[in-house]
Amino acid sequence: MSCVFLALKIGKVNWQSKLNKAAHHTSDYSSTELILRRGQPFNISLNFKTAAQSWDNITFIASTGPSPAECQQTKAIFSLSEEGASGWSATQEPSEPRCLTFTILSPADAVIGRYKLQLQVLAGSKVSSKDLGQFVLLFNPWCPDDDVYMADEKERQEYVLNDSGIIFQGVEKDIQEEAWNYGQFEEDILDISLAVLDRSLNHREDPAEDVSKRNSPVYVSRVISAMVNSNDEKGVLEGKWSGKFRSGTNPLRWSGSVSILRRWHRARYRPVRYGQCWVFAGVTCTVLRCLGIPTRVITNFNSAHDKDLNLSIDKYIDVSGNNLHLSEDSVWNFHVWNESWFVRRDLGSFYDGWQVLDATPQEKSKGVYQCGPASTRAIKEGDVNLDYDSPFVFAAVNADCVTWIRYSKKRKERIYSDTRKIGKFISTKAVGTNSRVDVTANYKYPEGSLKERQVYKKALKLLGVKRPEKRSKIPRPRRFSRTQPAQAPSISGKLLLDASPVVGQDILLTLTLKNLISDFKTIKVKLKALAILYTRKPKAEILQLHRSVKLGAEEVKEISFKISYSQYKNSLMDDRKILVTAVCQIKRGASLLVEKDIVLQDPFLSIKVLGEAVVHKPVNVEVTFTNPLSDEVTDCVLRAEGSGLLKEQLRIRVERMAPMETSTVEFEIIPYRSGTRQLQVDLVCTHFSDIKGFVMLHVAPAQ
């Protein structure tokens, strides 16, 4: 009986899916397809209708992409016991007469994606082929030869396998945690992640070349940073930072990536409306973890957007404290991006490790809205000449912040040059817990240190900013080691909250002024409160007060004032941020600017799991929440989601809540994946910003 005949008599192909998935750490993917990681062997068994005899002339062919070719590493031809030129190999294991088992090994630098596997048998001059099926090949952080190799198992569990996390937001003095459902193992998410690559500009321009480059995490991550936003192609998310969100979803309402990616896919790749930085970063993390690249979410507080890349952020205000838009530079309360872990063969081993990626569309890079990967080592050392986009990231964490008062077109006063404001408390979620870890030291040397100054000057030189003081008509101040005005003011001031501010309640504040010298002073104080976005762009004026204060020698006085709920309620319905400023002017002397960022706290919301959580066993959840307002609210919606707990987002209508009423809602979940799980709950109402909460629960395996 010939081998050709036998090849055509294959009864069943056994991909040994359960065993292979367990060995390759892919058991959590909600897919019947075999999902493997490169650089690691897998087994496949072929069942024949008749007994096999001689198998010395078997060849396997693995191919991926629209135009597989050996020269592009998208096609591999390899025989038994012989490693092919591509690095793929196959060996035959001890087998039964009618069942042959083979071990196949892909190289650690194989192209990732969906593969077809063929069996080819040669008998004399005749060749017979049999399609064995398909599998998906991913990056492999467990393989020491893979560019994404991560040595620590706990870190692999966190940055590859954890399907939920925390994204830090707020302001530097009030850092808040927001739960995020990454959901990289949920149904369809792997297919959608591969579709993200296939929808890119690179793929549309040259599909074969694009697929051939997918062996590199540098290349793949850069494509993802471009494709998660929709500015250049039909990417996943459309960004919006102002106005109403009636034609889409307010970015504050998202609590996970799964619904966003599914909506994009179901709408035939029409961009989902709308995203802001933490949403772009959350989706990017999902896609990259799904493809096997270790990834985490990073928050940079007081993040600079240095439009002209001169490492100086200039802010202009008028005498009343109003922002004047005389510069395109800006400082956001926080900005969220990603870091992915891999080798930088293009730069050298010194730059291996965490790489910054930013999918939020801010600036074009090589003609496309994409950012990174930029090595954190390059940022820390001021190597802003290295790929990709390191000047943008360096400025985001290192630029000087210079504030000017503009009295007229001809008269301007520099009141502060702050070298320490930008790039504070750079944060990410801890490995294995929801704690915050400060990673600022990965980005820069201690502020004010000699090394930090040397790095700053090195970056200026590489950027070609030789004489930054002459970049505009207004001289740029020298780089001070501390916050310092052009002429030191003779008074000091502080804005303090009398109590932690909560949505629905009045906000009580005190401005404390102190005369620093022995001369008598009369100070004109202009107080202003603005509802702002997290980008610090004003939405609406809430309060304006003028006061005159007389201070004797070294005297201290306090001005108490309040922002009532009635003043801010219509301006903070979808966000909770207020900027309070006090411009203090002295007749003969330097002006003083005092600022206070306020983030209103969420009202009470608690989540209780009423019983033991077990896979495939129903368990009830009780959610208790309070209407924070002294008004009745109607048409609220309670939403819940969590990977491994709910396959789709759960929505429960809350028809009516009386003023200050506490309500309880109970619902059922049926966990379908064991381990530590994150359940998120969100009370959505048009009368106030979302009230969010989450609980971590341990789900036991099915009994």
Side-chain angles (χ1 to χ4, degrees):
M1 190 176 290
S2 71
C3 292
V4 175
F5 179 77
L6 286 174
L8 298 174
K9 293 292 183 180
I10 295 175
K12 183 184 176 184
V13 179
N14 181 357
W15 287 94
Q16 300 190 26
S17 184
K18 189 173 182 180
L19 291 172
N20 283 324
K21 282 186 172 181
H24 286 247
H25 308 278
T26 60
S27 299
D28 285 340
Y29 286 89
S30 300
S31 173
T32 56
E33 198 168 17
L34 180 60
I35 301 162
L36 304 166
R37 298 189 188 276
R38 65 186 191 177
Q40 186 171 336
F42 66 94
N43 293 325
I44 179 172
S45 296
L46 308 180
N47 292 285
F48 294 90
K49 294 179 181 178
T50 55
Q53 295 177 15
S54 173
W55 289 94
D56 293 334
N57 49 6
I58 288 180
T59 299
F60 289 96
I61 302 172
S63 58
T64 186
S67 306
E70 288 182 272
C71 63
Q72 291 189 308
Q73 289 188 286
T74 52
K75 183 178 183 180
I77 301 173
F78 51 101
S79 301
L80 280 180
S81 303
E82 291 181 11
E83 183 178 312
S86 60
W88 290 72
S89 64
T91 55
Q92 185 177 334
E93 301 300 324
S95 304
E96 299 295 326
R98 293 192 181 187
C99 178
L100 297 181
T101 298
F102 301 95
T103 298
I104 296 175
L105 175 64
S106 63
D109 62 350
V111 167
I112 61 109
R114 181 169 280 106
Y115 277 78
K116 292 179 182 177
L117 186 64
Q118 288 180 306
L119 176 70
Q120 194 175 84
V121 177
L122 176 65
S125 60
K126 293 183 179 180
V127 177
S128 177
S129 296
K130 175 72 175 178
D131 289 335
L132 301 180
Q134 294 186 340
F135 61 90
V136 175
L137 194 64
L138 304 176
F139 291 101
N140 192 354
W142 284 264
C143 175
D145 294 326
D146 196 311
D147 281 358
V148 303
Y149 173 64
M150 183 169 259
D152 189 300
E153 176 60 20
K154 290 180 180 178
E155 290 186 344
R156 293 191 294 247
Q157 292 289 326
E158 180 68 49
Y159 300 132
V160 184
L161 300 184
N162 195 351
D163 58 7
S164 66
I166 300 294
I167 299 177
F168 295 98
Q169 300 182 22
V171 294
E172 62 166 305
K173 293 182 179 177
D174 186 10
I175 296 174
Q176 301 176 348
E177 56 182 33
E178 295 284 348
W180 193 265
N181 177 26
Y182 297 121
Q184 67 267 34
F185 304 121
E186 294 304 298
E187 191 174 350
D188 300 328
I189 297 303
L190 176 57
D191 287 341
I192 296 169
S193 297
L194 293 172
V196 171
L197 292 173
D198 288 343
R199 301 296 299 178
S200 71
L201 278 176
N202 294 10
H203 191 77
R204 281 185 273 170
E205 288 171 1
D206 191 335
E209 184 182 2
D210 168 63
V211 173
S212 74
K213 292 180 177 178
R214 293 183 188 174
N215 64 334
S216 165
V218 175
Y219 179 80
V220 169
S221 63
R222 186 159 170 80
V223 169
I224 296 302
S225 83
M227 273 301 297
V228 168
N229 70 70
S230 66
N231 284 43
D232 302 290
E233 48 249 294
K234 287 187 177 180
V236 177
L237 271 166
E238 182 179 329
K240 188 175 183 181
W241 282 265
S242 60
K244 303 293 183 183
F245 300 97
R246 293 191 184 98
S247 58
T249 299
N250 186 322
L252 294 164
R253 295 266 162 92
W254 299 115
S255 51
S257 309
V258 176
S259 54
I260 295 170
L261 288 164
R262 284 177 177 165
R263 189 177 297 187
W264 177 71
H265 185 248
R266 289 167 183 169
R268 297 185 179 182
Y269 312 112
R270 187 169 65 247
V272 176
R273 296 176 172 174
Y274 293 100
Q276 290 177 4
C277 69
W278 66 93
V279 187
F280 288 107
V283 172
T284 300
C285 188
T286 296
V287 174
L288 291 172
R289 284 187 185 181
C290 187
L291 297 177
I293 300 177
T295 302
R296 61 188 186 183
V297 175
I298 300 289
T299 304
N300 177 38
F301 290 93
N302 295 342
S303 188
H305 182 179
D306 186 11
K307 191 79 174 176
D308 49 11
L309 288 180
N310 65 352
L311 303 187
S312 176
I313 304 297
D314 294 312
K315 174 184 174 181
Y316 298 90
I317 61 172
D318 64 16
V319 291
S320 298
N322 296 308
N323 276 308
L324 301 175
H325 303 291
L326 302 179
S327 169
E328 292 186 274
D329 294 345
S330 61
V331 178
W332 294 9
N333 280 339
F334 66 90
H335 181 46
V336 184
W337 57 64
N338 300 93
E339 286 179 359
S340 289
W341 178 274
F342 47 81
V343 165
R344 290 304 297 268
R345 296 185 184 278
D346 55 330
L347 303 181
S349 60
F350 180 79
Y351 301 101
D352 293 350
W354 289 115
Q355 314 291 324
V356 175
L357 296 153
D358 192 352
T360 301
Q362 295 181 87
E363 297 292 336
K364 285 189 174 184
S365 172
K366 300 189 186 301
V368 175
Y369 280 98
Q370 58 191 346
C371 182
S375 165
T376 55
R377 293 292 297 273
I379 304 307
K380 184 170 183 175
E381 300 300 330
D383 296 328
V384 295
N385 56 322
L386 299 180
D387 285 342
Y388 293 89
D389 311 305
S390 50
F392 182 83
V393 181
F394 184 89
V397 299
N398 279 300
D400 285 355
C401 195
V402 184
T403 305
W404 309 81
I405 288 184
R406 191 171 188 256
Y407 297 101
S408 66
K409 287 185 178 180
K410 293 184 178 180
R411 187 182 165 217
K412 305 171 184 69
E413 178 189 0
R414 176 175 62 80
I415 54 174
Y416 285 112
S417 174
D418 192 343
T419 68
R420 300 191 181 197
K421 179 176 181 178
I422 302 301
K424 302 291 284 291
F425 302 108
I426 304 175
S427 304
T428 194
K429 176 189 171 302
V431 172
T433 76
N434 287 332
S435 302
R436 185 184 73 86
V437 173
D438 193 303
V439 295
T440 308
N442 291 357
Y443 283 82
K444 53 186 178 180
Y445 290 96
E447 291 283 6
S449 67
L450 177 62
K451 185 66 176 176
E452 182 258 347
R453 297 297 173 78
Q454 291 171 342
V455 167
Y456 181 84
K457 289 176 182 177
K458 174 183 177 181
L460 279 176
K461 185 176 180 181
L462 287 170
L463 290 171
V465 187
K466 295 179 181 177
R467 300 178 67 187
E469 69 279 6
K470 290 191 176 181
R471 68 177 187 83
S472 66
K473 292 181 181 178
I474 304 168
R476 181 181 180 277
R478 64 187 176 90
R479 186 168 170 82
F480 294 95
S481 61
R482 60 184 177 85
T483 303
Q484 187 173 339
Q487 176 189 345
S490 54
I491 56 170
S492 66
K494 262 187 182 179
L495 274 164
L496 297 172
L497 284 163
D498 294 3
S500 182
V502 179
V503 172
Q505 298 179 9
D506 294 347
I507 303 168
L508 306 176
L509 296 112
T510 300
L511 171 65
T512 302
L513 294 174
K514 180 180 180 180
N515 189 353
L516 300 175
I517 59 176
S518 56
D519 292 351
F520 178 84
K521 291 275 183 294
T522 299
I523 304 154
K524 290 183 179 179
V525 180
K526 295 181 179 179
L527 284 160
K528 184 186 287 287
L530 298 168
I532 61 168
L533 303 170
Y534 79 100
T535 60
R536 296 182 71 82
K537 286 188 176 178
K539 286 198 301 183
E541 184 177 296
I542 295 171
L543 175 76
Q544 190 172 122
L545 295 173
H546 290 193
R547 295 284 188 271
S548 181
V549 179
K550 295 183 178 181
L551 288 176
E554 299 183 355
E555 185 179 6
V556 177
K557 280 190 178 178
E558 294 182 344
I559 302 174
S560 295
F561 61 102
K562 76 173 180 179
I563 305 169
S564 66
Y565 167 65
S566 61
Q567 288 174 303
Y568 72 74
K569 70 175 184 178
N570 293 325
S571 302
L572 294 184
M573 287 192 294
D574 58 0
D575 209 342
R576 307 189 305 274
K577 298 177 181 66
I578 295 173
L579 173 64
V580 181
T581 61
V583 177
C584 307
Q585 290 179 280
I586 308 168
K587 217 170 194 182
R588 286 178 295 277
S591 298
L592 176 73
L593 173 67
V594 186
E595 293 184 321
K596 178 76 174 176
D597 283 292
I598 300 172
V599 181
L600 274 65
Q601 306 299 309
D602 275 339
F604 171 77
L605 183 146
S606 77
I607 309 163
K608 289 183 181 177
V609 182
L610 307 177
E612 185 185 9
V614 180
V615 169
H616 303 317
K617 182 181 176 182
V619 63
N620 284 356
V621 177
E622 179 185 271
V623 180
T624 304
F625 47 88
T626 301
N627 172 12
L629 310 183
S630 53
D631 304 318
E632 177 182 282
V633 297
T634 56
D635 299 325
C636 296
V637 176
L638 189 75
R639 306 185 309 183
E641 72 174 88
S643 286
L645 302 172
L646 291 162
K647 293 200 173 183
E648 297 283 347
Q649 189 180 76
L650 182 69
R651 300 169 72 89
I652 302 169
R653 292 191 66 81
V654 181
E655 299 289 347
R656 175 190 170 278
M657 292 178 68
M660 310 302 288
E661 179 187 357
T662 296
S663 297
T664 299
V665 170
E666 197 169 303
F667 58 87
E668 181 184 270
I669 60 173
I670 305 176
Y672 53 93
R673 201 175 291 138
S674 62
T676 302
R677 299 283 148 210
Q678 183 189 80
L679 178 66
Q680 300 167 39
V681 176
D682 183 7
L683 181 66
V684 179
C685 183
T686 56
H687 303 275
F688 47 79
S689 58
D690 292 12
I691 302 173
K692 295 186 177 185
F694 70 93
V695 65
M696 306 302 294
L697 60 152
H698 179 75
V699 178
Q703 297 170 345

